[in-house]
Amino acid sequence: MKRMIVIAAAALFSLAASAQELKFAYVDFTELVQLMPEMDSARVQIDAASLEAQETYQAIVEEYQSKAQQYEQKQSSWTPAIAQSKANELQQIMARIQEFEQAIQQDLQQLQNSLQAPIYEKAQKEINQLAKSKGVAAVFEKTSLLYIDPAQMTDLTQEARVALNIPEGRTLETLQAELQAKAQAAQAR
């Protein structure tokens, strides 16, 4: 019995000693992905597709409004068959608007996913390589941790920024300012 206790104690001591040797790290994955140059390119493509979708949507809505206005103005002078035909046409245009809204939202989401998936994969791959090269047992997402003791965990964010070619000094705040400036410039046109 003593022998079992000694073996169990030795196993626990061994486990505790090896646990103390494990290295842990964290990164701000969201920041990394948002600041990657590839994400800028993806945003441009998504914005262009979104703008094209808005223009198409606006054209369909304008067609509906024009025909609805015509219907209101001339309805009383039309024969019942013409009025019914024009009412059906308005319903068809409204159905096209609704179908377009649903389809374009799905299309834009799929486009976003297809453009961003390789970006997330690249960031993950770089973090994995950094962790392996540093002998890190696990890397955590900084924003999901409630507490971080910098003395016991390594922040790999800066090294990952370099590996991912994120320009020095670029932050989420500067990105937000860039995006706001672009949005204001687009509205001014």
Side-chain angles (χ1 to χ4, degrees):
M1 185 70 166
K2 279 185 172 181
R3 193 173 181 186
M4 291 288 247
I5 292 173
V6 171
I7 292 173
L12 284 174
F13 180 73
S14 167
L15 185 61
S18 67
Q20 289 176 354
E21 294 174 18
L22 292 178
K23 291 184 191 176
F24 298 101
Y26 62 93
V27 295
D28 192 335
F29 192 76
T30 303
E31 175 185 315
L32 292 172
V33 169
Q34 291 302 312
L35 296 178
M36 288 174 62
E38 294 89 337
M39 187 60 85
D40 291 337
S41 175
R43 271 191 282 275
V44 167
Q45 291 180 46
I46 293 166
D47 289 347
S50 181
L51 180 61
E52 188 174 321
Q54 289 173 353
E55 290 171 354
T56 301
Y57 176 80
Q58 188 60 38
I60 298 170
V61 168
E62 287 173 5
E63 176 188 5
Y64 176 81
Q65 290 171 339
S66 172
K67 292 189 181 213
Q69 183 180 19
Q70 179 188 30
Y71 181 84
E72 290 296 321
Q73 292 172 351
K74 296 183 178 181
Q75 175 185 8
S76 59
S77 65
W78 288 334
T79 65
I82 293 174
Q84 184 60 46
S85 173
K86 297 291 185 179
N88 290 344
E89 185 178 359
L90 286 173
Q91 288 176 345
Q92 290 172 352
I93 296 171
M94 183 55 75
R96 273 184 31 223
I97 290 171
Q98 291 171 347
E99 289 171 11
F100 182 80
E101 285 176 327
Q102 292 173 353
I104 199 62
Q105 289 303 319
Q106 290 175 351
D107 289 352
L108 290 174
Q109 186 62 49
Q110 287 175 349
L111 175 64
Q112 182 176 353
N113 292 343
S114 70
L115 291 173
Q116 291 180 351
I119 296 168
Y120 280 90
E121 289 171 14
K122 179 180 179 182
Q124 184 65 56
K125 181 180 175 186
E126 289 296 333
I127 291 166
N128 291 351
Q129 289 176 348
L130 274 172
K132 285 181 183 180
S133 72
K134 299 246 179 229
V136 173
V139 178
F140 299 94
E141 165 58 50
K142 178 180 179 180
T143 59
S144 63
L145 293 173
L146 297 176
Y147 172 74
I148 298 172
D149 182 355
Q152 296 183 37
M153 290 183 78
T154 304
D155 184 357
L156 295 178
T157 305
Q158 187 57 39
E159 291 176 69
R161 287 174 61 97
V162 171
L164 294 168
N165 299 317
I166 297 172
E168 183 77 27
R170 188 165 195 215
T171 65
L172 289 176
E173 291 79 21
T174 60
L175 173 63
Q176 188 65 29
E178 290 172 24
L179 296 176
Q180 286 176 348
K182 285 181 184 179
Q184 288 173 350
Q187 287 179 347
R189 287 185 222 159

